[in-house]
Amino acid sequence: MGIISRGFGGRRRESVPGLPPGQYLTHDFPVLSAGPTPRIPLDRWRFTITTETGDKTSWNWTEFQALPAEDVTVDIHCVTKWSKLGTTWRGVSLDTLLEDVESSADYTMVHSFGGYTTNVPMEDLLDGKAWVAYKFDGEDLEPEHGGPARLVVPHLYFWKSAKWVNGLQLMGDDEPGFWEAAGYHMYGDPWREQRYQGD
C-alpha cells in the first residue's frame, strides 16, 4: 500500500496571472531562514563591494542611506513554491552601487551577516533588476525578513535575495553559494522551475 494516495499533488496551482509554474499565491510573508536571525546594530552595518582584483568600495549605514533610493513594486517567488505578488520595497539599486566600481567580472557572490552566501550573475544585478532594500511596505525591514537590509532580485527565486546582506564579491567564474552547494540550482529562474541542480 502506498504512503501517498493516488492523485495527491500537494497544493493545486492557482490560475493567477504573474504566477510561475508550480507556485501558489500567499498573502502573508512566510519567514524561512537557514539559521538564527542576526540582529545587526546600524552602527556596525557596512556594505562592501570587493572586485576580482581585491579593490574595495564600502558604505556605512549613514552613507548608504544618503545614496539615491528607489521605490519598486515587484512579485517575489520562493523555491518552496509560495509567491507574493505586488510587494513594495525601498532601496538602492545595484546600478547605483556598482556605478563607480571598475570590474570585468561576470559573476558575483553575495555575502550576508551570519555567513550566508549565494551566487548571482552580474547581468542579473544590473539594468534595474536588483536592489539592496531597507524598507518593505513602507516600514523599516524587520530582521526576520532580512533587515536592516537585504538584496532583492525578484526575477530569481527568493533565496537569491539574500537577507542581512553585507557585501558583494565580484568574480570571473561562477561558484556555488550556501544553498547551491547543497543542491539548489546555480541560477534559479522561477519561470523555468530551476529549483534544484538538473532542473
Side-chain angles (χ1 to χ4, degrees), residues 2-20:
I3 295 174
I4 298 176
S5 63
R6 176 174 294 189
F8 178 78
R11 290 181 184 257
R12 262 192 15 229
R13 186 190 183 290
E14 298 179 46
S15 179
V16 177
L19 205 58

mmCIF file of all heavy atoms in Angstrom, residues 2-20:
data_model
loop_
_atom_site.group_PDB
_atom_site.id
_atom_site.type_symbol
_atom_site.label_atom_id
_atom_site.label_comp_id
_atom_site.label_asym_id
_atom_site.label_seq_id
_atom_site.Cartn_x
_atom_site.Cartn_y
_atom_site.Cartn_z
ATOM 1 N N GLY A 2 0.606 2.166 -0.866
ATOM 2 C CA GLY A 2 1.410 3.371 -0.963
ATOM 3 C C GLY A 2 1.156 4.336 0.183
ATOM 4 O O GLY A 2 0.073 4.368 0.771
ATOM 5 N N ILE A 3 2.180 5.101 0.513
ATOM 6 C CA ILE A 3 2.065 6.093 1.585
ATOM 7 C C ILE A 3 1.243 7.286 1.119
ATOM 8 O O ILE A 3 0.484 7.864 1.875
ATOM 9 C CB ILE A 3 3.464 6.533 2.048
ATOM 10 C CG1 ILE A 3 4.169 5.345 2.688
ATOM 11 C CG2 ILE A 3 3.397 7.702 3.008
ATOM 12 C CD1 ILE A 3 5.598 5.594 3.051
ATOM 13 N N ILE A 4 1.392 7.656 -0.127
ATOM 14 C CA ILE A 4 0.659 8.794 -0.679
ATOM 15 C C ILE A 4 -0.428 8.256 -1.587
ATOM 16 O O ILE A 4 -0.175 7.449 -2.476
ATOM 17 C CB ILE A 4 1.599 9.724 -1.473
ATOM 18 C CG1 ILE A 4 2.662 10.290 -0.543
ATOM 19 C CG2 ILE A 4 0.819 10.840 -2.143
ATOM 20 C CD1 ILE A 4 3.687 11.140 -1.226
ATOM 21 N N SER A 5 -1.661 8.664 -1.316
ATOM 22 C CA SER A 5 -2.765 8.163 -2.114
ATOM 23 C C SER A 5 -2.698 8.714 -3.529
ATOM 24 O O SER A 5 -2.172 9.794 -3.771
ATOM 25 C CB SER A 5 -4.095 8.539 -1.458
ATOM 26 O OG SER A 5 -4.234 9.937 -1.422
ATOM 27 N N ARG A 6 -3.266 7.952 -4.445
ATOM 28 C CA ARG A 6 -3.270 8.352 -5.839
ATOM 29 C C ARG A 6 -3.955 9.712 -5.992
ATOM 30 O O ARG A 6 -4.972 9.975 -5.384
ATOM 31 C CB ARG A 6 -4.015 7.314 -6.665
ATOM 32 C CG ARG A 6 -4.132 7.711 -8.116
ATOM 33 C CD ARG A 6 -4.729 6.606 -8.877
ATOM 34 N NE ARG A 6 -3.763 5.496 -8.834
ATOM 35 C CZ ARG A 6 -3.901 4.404 -9.563
ATOM 36 N NH1 ARG A 6 -4.926 4.232 -10.329
ATOM 37 N NH2 ARG A 6 -3.004 3.463 -9.506
ATOM 38 N N GLY A 7 -3.351 10.546 -6.789
ATOM 39 C CA GLY A 7 -3.941 11.850 -7.051
ATOM 40 C C GLY A 7 -3.451 12.944 -6.121
ATOM 41 O O GLY A 7 -3.742 14.104 -6.345
ATOM 42 N N PHE A 8 -2.705 12.584 -5.072
ATOM 43 C CA PHE A 8 -2.202 13.633 -4.181
ATOM 44 C C PHE A 8 -1.110 14.398 -4.901
ATOM 45 O O PHE A 8 -0.156 13.820 -5.392
ATOM 46 C CB PHE A 8 -1.647 13.046 -2.883
ATOM 47 C CG PHE A 8 -1.079 14.091 -1.957
ATOM 48 C CD1 PHE A 8 -1.919 14.871 -1.184
ATOM 49 C CD2 PHE A 8 0.285 14.322 -1.903
ATOM 50 C CE1 PHE A 8 -1.407 15.848 -0.352
ATOM 51 C CE2 PHE A 8 0.812 15.297 -1.074
ATOM 52 C CZ PHE A 8 -0.051 16.057 -0.296
ATOM 53 N N GLY A 9 -1.251 15.712 -4.937
ATOM 54 C CA GLY A 9 -0.248 16.513 -5.632
ATOM 55 C C GLY A 9 0.134 17.761 -4.871
ATOM 56 O O GLY A 9 0.672 18.695 -5.443
ATOM 57 N N GLY A 10 -0.180 17.788 -3.594
ATOM 58 C CA GLY A 10 0.134 18.988 -2.812
ATOM 59 C C GLY A 10 -0.881 20.074 -3.139
ATOM 60 O O GLY A 10 -2.014 19.798 -3.496
ATOM 61 N N ARG A 11 -0.468 21.314 -3.010
ATOM 62 C CA ARG A 11 -1.367 22.433 -3.315
ATOM 63 C C ARG A 11 -1.602 22.505 -4.818
ATOM 64 O O ARG A 11 -0.678 22.330 -5.607
ATOM 65 C CB ARG A 11 -0.745 23.752 -2.849
ATOM 66 C CG ARG A 11 -0.680 23.896 -1.375
ATOM 67 C CD ARG A 11 -0.066 25.259 -1.092
ATOM 68 N NE ARG A 11 0.129 25.464 0.314
ATOM 69 C CZ ARG A 11 -0.652 26.227 1.074
ATOM 70 N NH1 ARG A 11 -1.677 26.839 0.558
ATOM 71 N NH2 ARG A 11 -0.401 26.377 2.345
ATOM 72 N N ARG A 12 -2.841 22.800 -5.193
ATOM 73 C CA ARG A 12 -3.144 22.998 -6.602
ATOM 74 C C ARG A 12 -2.585 24.331 -7.068
ATOM 75 O O ARG A 12 -2.666 25.324 -6.355
ATOM 76 C CB ARG A 12 -4.646 22.996 -6.811
ATOM 77 C CG ARG A 12 -5.138 21.668 -7.278
ATOM 78 C CD ARG A 12 -6.562 21.660 -7.784
ATOM 79 N NE ARG A 12 -7.135 22.953 -8.056
ATOM 80 C CZ ARG A 12 -8.325 23.324 -7.601
ATOM 81 N NH1 ARG A 12 -9.027 22.533 -6.841
ATOM 82 N NH2 ARG A 12 -8.813 24.510 -7.913
ATOM 83 N N ARG A 13 -2.033 24.370 -8.240
ATOM 84 C CA ARG A 13 -1.553 25.626 -8.816
ATOM 85 C C ARG A 13 -2.750 26.510 -9.088
ATOM 86 O O ARG A 13 -3.735 26.076 -9.673
ATOM 87 C CB ARG A 13 -0.783 25.367 -10.108
ATOM 88 C CG ARG A 13 -0.141 26.636 -10.644
ATOM 89 C CD ARG A 13 0.403 26.418 -12.039
ATOM 90 N NE ARG A 13 1.078 27.561 -12.568
ATOM 91 C CZ ARG A 13 0.503 28.691 -12.934
ATOM 92 N NH1 ARG A 13 -0.777 28.860 -12.779
ATOM 93 N NH2 ARG A 13 1.202 29.680 -13.435
ATOM 94 N N GLU A 14 -2.666 27.734 -8.627
ATOM 95 C CA GLU A 14 -3.759 28.670 -8.841
ATOM 96 C C GLU A 14 -3.616 29.316 -10.220
ATOM 97 O O GLU A 14 -2.524 29.512 -10.713
ATOM 98 C CB GLU A 14 -3.739 29.744 -7.752
ATOM 99 C CG GLU A 14 -3.951 29.159 -6.374
ATOM 100 C CD GLU A 14 -3.906 30.226 -5.298
ATOM 101 O OE1 GLU A 14 -4.538 31.278 -5.484
ATOM 102 O OE2 GLU A 14 -3.249 29.984 -4.291
ATOM 103 N N SER A 15 -4.761 29.625 -10.806
ATOM 104 C CA SER A 15 -4.759 30.294 -12.105
ATOM 105 C C SER A 15 -4.736 31.798 -11.871
ATOM 106 O O SER A 15 -5.783 32.452 -11.860
ATOM 107 C CB SER A 15 -5.989 29.874 -12.893
ATOM 108 O OG SER A 15 -6.002 30.522 -14.134
ATOM 109 N N VAL A 16 -3.558 32.321 -11.656
ATOM 110 C CA VAL A 16 -3.390 33.740 -11.371
ATOM 111 C C VAL A 16 -2.336 34.292 -12.323
ATOM 112 O O VAL A 16 -1.232 33.746 -12.401
ATOM 113 C CB VAL A 16 -2.934 33.955 -9.902
ATOM 114 C CG1 VAL A 16 -2.681 35.425 -9.632
ATOM 115 C CG2 VAL A 16 -3.942 33.388 -8.923
ATOM 116 N N PRO A 17 -2.634 35.377 -13.031
ATOM 117 C CA PRO A 17 -1.607 35.982 -13.884
ATOM 118 C C PRO A 17 -0.393 36.393 -13.045
ATOM 119 O O PRO A 17 -0.543 36.882 -11.932
ATOM 120 C CB PRO A 17 -2.308 37.217 -14.472
ATOM 121 C CG PRO A 17 -3.774 36.937 -14.344
ATOM 122 C CD PRO A 17 -3.917 36.076 -13.117
ATOM 123 N N GLY A 18 0.792 36.161 -13.573
ATOM 124 C CA GLY A 18 2.012 36.520 -12.853
ATOM 125 C C GLY A 18 2.538 35.431 -11.945
ATOM 126 O O GLY A 18 3.549 35.616 -11.277
ATOM 127 N N LEU A 19 1.861 34.283 -11.912
ATOM 128 C CA LEU A 19 2.286 33.181 -11.051
ATOM 129 C C LEU A 19 3.068 32.157 -11.869
ATOM 130 O O LEU A 19 2.531 31.552 -12.791
ATOM 131 C CB LEU A 19 1.049 32.531 -10.424
ATOM 132 C CG LEU A 19 1.210 31.802 -9.113
ATOM 133 C CD1 LEU A 19 1.771 32.720 -8.031
ATOM 134 C CD2 LEU A 19 -0.116 31.230 -8.665
ATOM 135 N N PRO A 20 4.365 31.955 -11.557
ATOM 136 C CA PRO A 20 5.154 30.978 -12.315
ATOM 137 C C PRO A 20 4.635 29.550 -12.124
ATOM 138 O O PRO A 20 3.897 29.273 -11.175
ATOM 139 C CB PRO A 20 6.562 31.121 -11.727
ATOM 140 C CG PRO A 20 6.578 32.457 -11.073
ATOM 141 C CD PRO A 20 5.175 32.674 -10.583
#
